[in-house]
Amino acid sequence: MSLDLNLWKAIDPGQFFEAVAEDENTEFVVGVMRRLTVDPVWTESVIQLVESKRIETRCFVSWLAREMQPQTYLEVGVRRGFSMAMVAARAPGTEMWGFDLWMPKYAGAANPGPRFVQAELEKVGYRRKAHFIRGNSHTTLPAFFRMKGSSLRDRVRLRWQSGNRPQIFDMILVDGDHSLLGAYQDLVHTMPHCAVGGVVVFDDIALENTAVDPEVLRRERGEDPWGWGDLLGVWRAIQERFHNFRYFEYVRNPPGVGVGVRLW
């Protein structure tokens, strides 16, 4: 990784966001999106957002992968591989691990699964075989990280599927379960496994609620026993739990992105 801790300690959030919004990076993101198979629901939405200079998750992932050249990358919520493709294009030697349920017709579009995502990564120059773990992240992540309480069945399956798996990652993206408790759990399971000097990226902390049916939003958020309210509240609860990270919150435009850099 080429970004040192002194930079992360010193950088102003505005400087960081300006760097992510630079033309080279946003044009790169659009270029990668245009090389991938068109998603009739989301491809043009992402491209239009980025071309209008409203940076979003793919912009952060692309910039971080360019600057850090991570050796290991973990993603929760792969879907069709938009974000993973940014890492593949920027750092084609990265060892990548993706976790998803791959639910059919998720978010209103086809969701073909791991073989499709692997083919998408190869379109942008990825030279390795990515590792994909299908299942509910609330059970697969604990088994993957050999946590106490994970099921014997999941541990055995993962040992057979990926016995020599890393336990520390240079870059992590959490963009899976969007319920408040589910997102918190995914972050709690992954953040201890971020390398010192590594980053955790968290999506959708500034959703435009007026564009979403309130009942749909309420169902997606699920129970809220701690009064977090939304995913920004979840991200701030994480900051109270993990004090060994420096946190950034990009909330100038939806969908909003959180970045945590592990300092020790």
Side-chain angles (χ1 to χ4, degrees):
M1 297 183 293
S2 61
L3 290 178
D4 63 30
L5 290 178
N6 289 329
L7 182 145
W8 284 122
K9 291 175 182 177
I11 193 170
D12 177 79
Q15 293 175 309
F16 177 31
F17 302 150
E18 287 174 8
V20 173
E22 288 176 352
D23 289 346
E24 188 281 336
N25 190 49
T26 56
E27 289 169 5
F28 186 89
V29 170
V30 171
V32 170
M33 290 297 298
R34 294 205 182 280
R35 291 162 69 184
L36 302 176
T37 303
V38 172
D39 178 333
V41 177
W42 293 106
T43 296
E44 285 304 317
S45 295
V46 171
I47 289 173
Q48 289 173 14
L49 191 70
V50 176
E51 287 184 333
S52 68
K53 298 301 181 184
R54 291 178 291 169
I55 57 177
E56 52 91 69
T57 305
R58 264 60 58 171
C59 301
F60 280 89
V61 171
S62 168
W63 187 88
L64 289 165
R66 184 191 74 187
E67 296 298 319
M68 297 176 64
Q69 291 297 298
Q71 295 183 23
T72 50
Y73 173 75
L74 183 148
E75 183 169 313
V76 182
V78 177
R79 198 171 166 268
R80 294 169 65 100
F82 285 0
S83 299
M84 192 172 271
M86 301 301 156
V87 180
R90 287 293 199 186
T94 304
E95 183 179 10
M96 298 200 290
W97 297 78
F99 292 73
D100 205 301
L101 281 167
W102 280 286
M103 298 169 59
K105 289 291 182 183
Y106 179 76
N111 198 18
R115 289 186 180 179
F116 173 86
V117 177
Q118 178 69 37
E120 295 291 275
L121 300 180
E122 291 170 4
K123 287 181 181 180
V124 300
Y126 190 55
R127 302 192 299 261
R128 306 183 62 165
K129 181 174 174 56
H131 306 272
F132 298 108
I133 309 298
R134 185 190 290 267
N136 188 321
S137 61
H138 306 317
T139 58
T140 56
L141 283 172
F144 183 87
F145 288 124
R146 303 181 175 95
M147 294 178 181
K148 291 182 179 180
S150 58
S151 75
L152 176 62
R153 178 179 179 181
D154 284 328
R155 292 200 305 271
V156 169
R157 178 171 71 92
L158 281 168
R159 185 167 62 243
W160 173 79
Q161 183 178 350
S162 50
N164 195 28
R165 57 193 183 272
Q167 296 291 285
I168 298 294
F169 289 84
D170 296 330
M171 279 184 65
I172 297 171
L173 169 63
V174 176
D175 187 18
D177 186 346
H178 277 49
S179 71
L180 304 184
L181 292 176
Y184 184 82
Q185 186 175 13
D186 284 342
L187 287 164
V188 166
H189 286 160
T190 53
M191 292 190 71
H193 299 275
C194 178
V196 174
V199 297
V200 176
V201 180
F202 184 52
D203 193 24
D204 292 334
I205 65 170
L207 287 177
E208 189 174 13
N209 294 341
T210 56
V212 181
D213 184 302
E215 180 59 24
V216 171
L217 192 62
R218 186 192 65 80
R219 289 199 303 267
E220 182 178 67
R221 288 176 174 169
E223 297 180 6
D224 186 14
W226 302 105
W228 294 327
D230 53 23
L231 292 179
L232 179 57
V234 170
W235 186 237
R236 289 180 176 170
I238 285 293
Q239 296 176 42
E240 293 297 317
R241 178 163 180 163
F242 295 97
H243 299 125
N244 55 333
F245 285 74
R246 183 178 180 194
Y247 294 93
F248 300 86
E249 297 175 356
Y250 182 80
V251 294
R252 295 178 187 173
N253 59 258
V257 181
V259 176
V261 182
R262 185 167 183 175
L263 300 180
W264 70 86

